[in-house]
Amino acid sequence: MGMLSGAVAGAVFASPPPGSVLAAILTLWKGGASGVLLIVKNYTGDRLNFGIALEQARSQGVQVDMVIVADDCAFAQPSKAGRRGLCGTVFIHKIAGALAEKGCPLDEIVARVNEATKNIGTLGVSLSPCSVPGCLPTFQLPPGEMELGLGIHGEPGIKRSKVASADEVVKTIISHMTDSSNKSHLSLKSGDKVVLCVNNLGALSCLEIAVVSKAAVLCLEERGVLVVRVMSGSFMTSLEMAGMSLTLMKVDEEMLRLFDAKTTAPAWPNLSTASVSGRNLFMESEETIAAHSDNYNEGSESSVIRLVLESVCKILLQRQEELNALDRAAGDGDCGSTHALVANAIQEWLQTSKIPGNLGQLFADLALLVQERMGGSSGALYCLFLSAAAPHLKQNCDGAAWAKALHAGTEAMKKYGGAEPGDRTMLDALCPAVEELMKLSTAPPGGHIAILQSAVEKAGLGAESTRNLTARAGRASYVASEHLTQPDPGAVAVAAILKAILNALKA
């Protein structure tokens, strides 16, 4: 309903034979259709074979007509064959289907669809050729290069250039499509309303198509063009070609109603009928550390805290590659990179913000910083530790308060992370250290450094012990134990952080 009534397939990249097309026409006509419209992409073989079937059907009394779609914007000087039919054909399927569903007569549908084709333009780019099954690739494309202006049958394009970012590629495509010196251009001016189709030519990921979609919307909006609808996905592919095409259709309110009309075609996207342009795509967080920090007064311990934080950041940055290497055996190799992210964020924060005199507030600020900038499960665990520990240090920061804070932080990590000591995680370094630090609550004056020294040693031993443990939590638990011969990177990072704190306090 509201889309095609039939499709006729030929061999790969070849037009179907006239007999198949005629069979489809007669099936619809005998089934009660008041008329049949053939929607044909502008290729010589398609025009010939569909044309033969049309003439044969008319000789049998069938009310049949044909619309040829030629939306290719690649060639500045199109040949006699004219512009090729590309993904804009999908828009014509939709518009014609909606008009037919309304009961419009065949001649009216043909007239309105022909008018619509004048307002559609398509241009594609690819990072690879494609191969007809059993054959060599249709053309050769060296690594690091991309082809602009391809057809959908594996034909090479009009221009080859170095691979660029999605933003640059989209700007190149839209500039070429709308260049008035290009005889096959789509005339587009500020204030025009368009429907955008970002079409996967076969082998791009959903992520890549989404990146291109965002870039295309922003590029058009910068030109003052109103993007009223966006559809992205695989609508007209070219086998396994790693490329995409952009199609623009200028619309008025009536054309938009036809585009939005309901269809039961299962692969048609369930698009929102709200305009894309004019909507907020992002929401800024109202709560930021900088907003808090302006009102803080640095306390008497702020200089010591600054030294401690700088020491921690320095060691995490120094050991980034070591932690990544440890993580490659058990995870995705980014443990050092995620710790470096938060180290850089803390360094930036130290340069632009005052350190609060209240240690509870400091922990809360660091929790927010870790939450926003670190990422990964490590970031979540550190954030949990700092958030749970913070309330115990807001009123007091003596040994007993520190003991309660560290215990609360560790328990929060266990509760939400689901791991325990012995599971080959960062807790294997942290828990023995915190157990030792609980002695802070009864430590004599001047005994704090000795306790911290002992805690650091226990953290180091705990991290080293993970070398012989079987992973029962975290990403490493999915890896066969015989591959896990190095210490857990999270545990090594915890031991390094505690040692950096000790060294700063000693200094």
Side-chain angles (χ1 to χ4, degrees), residues 76 81 104 154 169 198 219 231 269 309 334 336 374 393 413 475 495-496 499:
C104 295
V169 173
V198 183
C219 181
M231 50 192 279
L309 291 177
D334 67 347
M374 187 172 184
L393 294 171
M413 292 172 78
R475 187 169 289 161
K499 189 170 183 178

Side-chain angles (χ1 to χ4, degrees), residues 12 21 68 285 367 500:
V12 175
V21 180
I68 295 176
S285 172

Side-chain angles (χ1 to χ4, degrees), residues 173-402:
I173 289 176
I174 293 176
S175 295
H176 187 90
M177 286 176 67
T178 58
D179 183 357
S180 58
S181 67
N182 173 4
K183 288 195 175 178
S184 58
H185 78 286
L186 175 68
S187 179
L188 197 64
K189 64 183 185 300
S190 178
D192 283 343
K193 294 180 180 179
V194 299
V195 174
L196 165 68
C197 178
V198 183
N199 174 53
N200 189 345
L201 287 173
L204 294 189
S205 66
C206 295
L207 173 64
E208 289 164 315
I209 288 295
V211 169
V212 171
S213 300
K214 176 190 171 187
V217 170
L218 295 179
C219 181
L220 290 165
E221 288 179 340
E222 286 173 3
R223 291 167 164 254
V225 176
L226 299 174
V227 183
V228 290
R229 303 286 186 274
V230 177
M231 50 192 279
S232 64
S234 300
F235 301 105
M236 189 171 288
T237 58
S238 188
L239 299 177
E240 84 285 22
M241 186 176 281
M244 61 85 186
S245 62
L246 298 183
T247 300
L248 298 175
M249 177 172 68
K250 293 197 295 185
V251 293
D252 54 20
E253 290 305 314
E254 174 57 22
M255 192 61 68
L256 196 56
R257 277 193 290 272
L258 294 172
F259 179 82
D260 287 338
K262 182 175 175 54
T263 175
T264 56
W268 186 257
N270 181 26
L271 297 177
S272 165
T273 55
S275 175
V276 176
S277 293
R279 282 193 285 172
N280 289 328
L281 301 181
F282 307 98
M283 183 176 69
E284 293 294 336
S285 172
E286 295 180 4
E287 185 179 12
T288 62
I289 290 176
H292 286 307
S293 299
D294 291 341
N295 301 319
Y296 292 159
N297 293 316
E298 293 206 355
S300 59
E301 303 298 326
S302 294
S303 60
V304 177
I305 293 169
R306 184 177 293 274
L307 285 174
V308 168
L309 291 177
E310 287 172 349
S311 176
V312 170
C313 293
K314 182 179 178 182
I315 200 68
L316 290 178
L317 292 170
Q318 285 177 348
R319 301 187 68 171
Q320 176 179 352
E321 185 47 43
E322 175 193 345
L323 294 173
N324 280 342
L326 290 173
D327 195 31
R328 286 187 196 108
D332 49 9
D334 67 347
C335 181
S337 298
T338 54
H339 281 79
L341 280 174
V342 79
N344 286 320
I346 292 172
Q347 286 181 336
E348 181 185 320
W349 179 65
L350 288 172
Q351 291 174 359
T352 58
S353 306
K354 295 176 181 177
I355 297 176
N358 184 289
L359 285 172
Q361 188 61 58
L362 171 70
F363 270 44
D365 286 356
L366 291 176
L368 186 57
L369 193 68
V370 168
Q371 173 186 313
E372 291 180 346
R373 301 289 290 275
M374 187 172 184
S377 56
S378 295
L381 288 166
Y382 282 123
C383 180
L384 279 167
F385 180 90
L386 292 164
S387 297
H392 298 281
L393 294 171
K394 289 208 170 178
Q395 303 300 323
N396 201 341
C397 59
D398 59 14
W402 272 104

